[in-house]
Amino acid sequence: MPRLYYALDLRDDPALIAEYERWHSPGAIWPEIIESIVAAGVRDMEIHRVDDRLVLTMEVDEDYSPEAKAAADDGNPRVQAWEALMSTFQKPLPGSAPGEKWRPMMRIFSLSESRKAK
């Protein structure tokens, strides 16, 4: 199962960061958001934070398409409302394109591949 990684920053405000974390606690995320994630072929997702930096990990089906997920999200008013709410807490990474939020991360090291290369 492929694993994808993305990064995004939060506004550097402890109160906003705490509120963002509350929105992501079990039971707080709107059911329609969970449904849209699962319907897109995401099997598991985690968000980790250090200071104001977020890292998102997604395990996805083999046929997962970020473009199809984005198109479905664009046509879903509830997802758009969630994204607008989350935007109050988030800020783009330096170098992001206008409107770009979660930026894909590039893997630069794999222990299993390095062990095989011996």
Side-chain angles (χ1 to χ4, degrees):
M1 189 174 318
R3 193 175 303 150
L4 306 173
Y5 298 87
Y6 296 86
L8 178 66
D9 284 345
L10 294 173
R11 298 182 193 284
D12 192 11
D13 177 318
L16 288 177
I17 291 171
E19 187 174 350
Y20 185 84
E21 288 183 0
R22 279 191 298 278
W23 276 110
H24 287 81
S25 63
I29 297 177
W30 302 342
E32 302 91 341
I33 303 310
I34 300 296
E35 291 166 10
S36 73
I37 292 168
V38 172
V42 178
R43 295 297 149 230
D44 197 14
M45 177 185 283
E46 294 182 343
I47 299 174
H48 297 262
R49 180 182 70 79
V50 62
D51 298 325
D52 62 348
R53 175 75 33 99
L54 301 174
V55 174
L56 170 78
T57 304
M58 296 185 346
E59 289 185 6
V60 298
D61 290 340
E62 293 293 333
D63 61 348
Y64 173 78
S65 166
E67 296 79 17
K69 170 79 169 106
D73 289 350
D74 285 344
N76 184 325
R78 194 67 169 155
V79 170
Q80 291 306 304
W82 176 264
E83 290 299 329
L85 174 61
M86 293 303 106
S87 289
T88 64
F89 307 104
Q90 300 166 334
K91 68 178 181 181
L93 290 171
S96 295
E100 184 178 31
K101 289 175 66 169
W102 289 100
R103 290 187 52 196
M105 298 178 75
M106 178 181 68
R107 185 182 77 178
I108 62 169
F109 173 78
S110 166
L111 178 60
S112 62
E113 289 178 8
S114 294
R115 291 178 76 190
K116 290 176 190 174
K118 286 184 175 181

